[in-house]
Amino acid sequence: MGRVACIDVGTVTVRLAVCDVEGGRVRRMAKTSTICNLGEGLSATGRIGDAARARVLDCVDRYLANARQAAARVVCCTLTSAARDASNSAELEGDLIARGLLPEVIAGRVEGSLTFLGVAQDFPDERILVADNGGGSTELAVGSLGERGLRLEAVTSVDVGCRRVTERFLPGDGPASDDQVAAARAFCRGPFETAFEGEGLRDRASRLVVTGGTVTSLVAVRDSLAPYDPLRVHLRELGRDDVEALAARLAALSLGERAGLPGLQPKRAGVILGGALAVAELMGVAGFERLTVSESDLLFGLAICAEAVRSGEESPLGWRPRLASLR
């Protein structure tokens, strides 16, 4: 059994997973998530800000210390939507390399495939649609995982995420006006419709599974989970009526009032409405009245691929993460 560490630098959160992987499955995982808001101001400037980069690097330093303390053998580091969009992402990559990492800005299709690999572990032999609703983008993947292995039928990435929607259409401290909400919804709906029409995603899956901080937070707010308990969130369901009711509730609140909601991390208050609207539009376009929330995510798939590479085996996705030693 190999122990690997995986760091994922997203638009809103930076996450660490230290995993024991055996036989192509994650047997044990300790996850840490920190809201660093790398994508703050990116829509307006096209660049990663100095303060945002500093927050991420401080977080990564802590994560590397934690990974070494947990006796992980190797570490991989991926960067997603914000780094794909930013004109100066190479500066952040250089800072990560200086810390001994081998960072990689991964394409949306790779991101979606890794997420599907991780999420599908809980749904053997079931054809599912997996949506990873992040800060800058949403990855969509349809397929199945079972005795015959991994079958990915379609994978795509669309530029709809909670940070992107917020910065373009929901600025200020709220409450949000009807016009702002309508504009945000229209922005989300268009790319989703294009994806479902052009990528062959529609009518293929029996279940919609959504992962990411928005949907886990929506469950926590609905159920007033304080403190947050991942065991009470993983594989819970949200109806479309739940999501719409939560979006309407959030839109009517100021930023300070959202931050005080039981179950919501205060740092997520600024982007939760944008995320809720994106999920509502996704459900409408995809034609699902219910979704299943998953705590499994890209980190699970990344850990499986990392251990395969570390042990000299073939990665289940063909894509190989870059591994750095933690010795």
Side-chain angles (χ1 to χ4, degrees):
M1 183 181 296
R3 177 164 292 181
V4 299
C6 303
I7 297 173
D8 177 58
V9 181
T11 303
V12 173
T13 61
V14 179
R15 300 174 301 150
L16 166 71
V18 178
C19 314
D20 292 334
V21 183
E22 184 178 33
R25 292 186 64 86
V26 175
R27 302 300 180 184
R28 182 182 304 170
M29 173 182 281
K31 286 203 303 181
T32 306
S33 179
T34 305
I35 294 177
C36 294
N37 282 317
L38 178 65
E40 184 176 51
L42 180 60
S43 291
T45 67
R47 296 175 56 85
I48 295 169
D50 291 342
R53 186 168 75 249
R55 290 193 298 266
V56 168
L57 294 173
D58 181 64
C59 179
V60 168
D61 287 340
R62 296 195 306 272
Y63 283 177
L64 287 171
N66 292 345
R68 291 188 174 96
Q69 188 174 17
R73 301 180 183 182
V74 295
V75 60
C76 59
C77 178
T78 55
L79 301 93
T80 55
S81 180
R84 289 196 293 265
D85 290 351
S87 62
N88 62 336
S89 58
E91 297 174 10
L92 176 58
E93 290 181 77
D95 290 332
L96 295 170
I97 291 169
R99 285 159 168 78
L101 291 166
L102 298 173
E104 182 173 3
V105 179
I106 57 174
R109 289 183 62 86
V110 173
E111 185 179 357
S113 299
L114 287 167
T115 301
F116 186 92
L117 177 62
V119 169
Q121 307 288 324
D122 289 314
F123 305 94
D125 293 311
E126 185 176 352
R127 182 180 282 111
I128 57 176
L129 167 62
V130 173
D132 181 6
N133 178 239
S137 62
T138 298
E139 281 62 51
L140 302 164
V142 170
S144 59
L145 177 67
E147 293 183 0
R148 297 183 179 180
L150 176 67
R151 183 183 179 189
L152 273 172
E153 301 174 23
V155 185
T156 192
S157 178
V158 297
D159 288 336
V160 174
C162 61
R163 167 64 61 185
R164 192 185 298 269
V165 172
T166 299
E167 293 203 350
R168 293 194 180 188
F169 300 100
L170 303 168
D173 294 336
S177 70
D178 291 344
D179 287 345
Q180 287 175 321
V181 170
R185 284 183 176 275
F187 173 79
C188 298
R189 190 182 313 120
F192 285 142
E193 288 177 339
T194 299
F196 276 85
E197 291 168 2
E199 298 293 335
L201 297 169
R202 197 183 302 276
D203 299 328
R204 286 190 174 188
S206 60
R207 182 196 299 262
L208 171 63
V209 186
V210 185
T211 187
T214 291
V215 287
T216 57
S217 296
L218 291 178
V219 172
V221 171
R222 182 193 66 180
D223 298 345
S224 298
L225 296 180
Y228 183 83
D229 183 355
L231 295 178
R232 295 178 63 185
V233 173
H234 185 52
L235 303 184
R236 294 295 298 272
E237 290 193 344
L238 283 170
R240 190 175 172 190
D241 54 345
D242 292 322
V243 177
E244 292 287 1
L246 286 162
R249 180 183 175 190
L250 291 165
L253 299 176
S254 69
L255 179 60
E257 289 169 330
R258 292 173 201 160
L261 289 173
L264 184 65
Q265 290 176 281
K267 287 185 178 180
R268 190 171 287 279
V271 296
I272 187 62
L273 174 58
L277 295 173
V279 172
E281 291 302 318
L282 170 64
M283 295 181 77
V285 171
F288 284 90
E289 291 301 316
R290 303 197 68 78
L291 64 81
T292 302
V293 177
S294 178
E295 279 276 353
S296 302
D297 51 27
L298 176 149
L299 290 172
F300 279 74
L302 189 56
I304 292 168
C305 293
E307 172 55 18
V309 171
R310 188 201 66 81
S311 60
E313 299 175 0
E314 185 176 347
S315 166
L317 296 179
W319 174 83
R320 297 169 61 86
R322 301 170 183 170
L323 304 184
S325 175
L326 281 170
R327 299 298 184 189

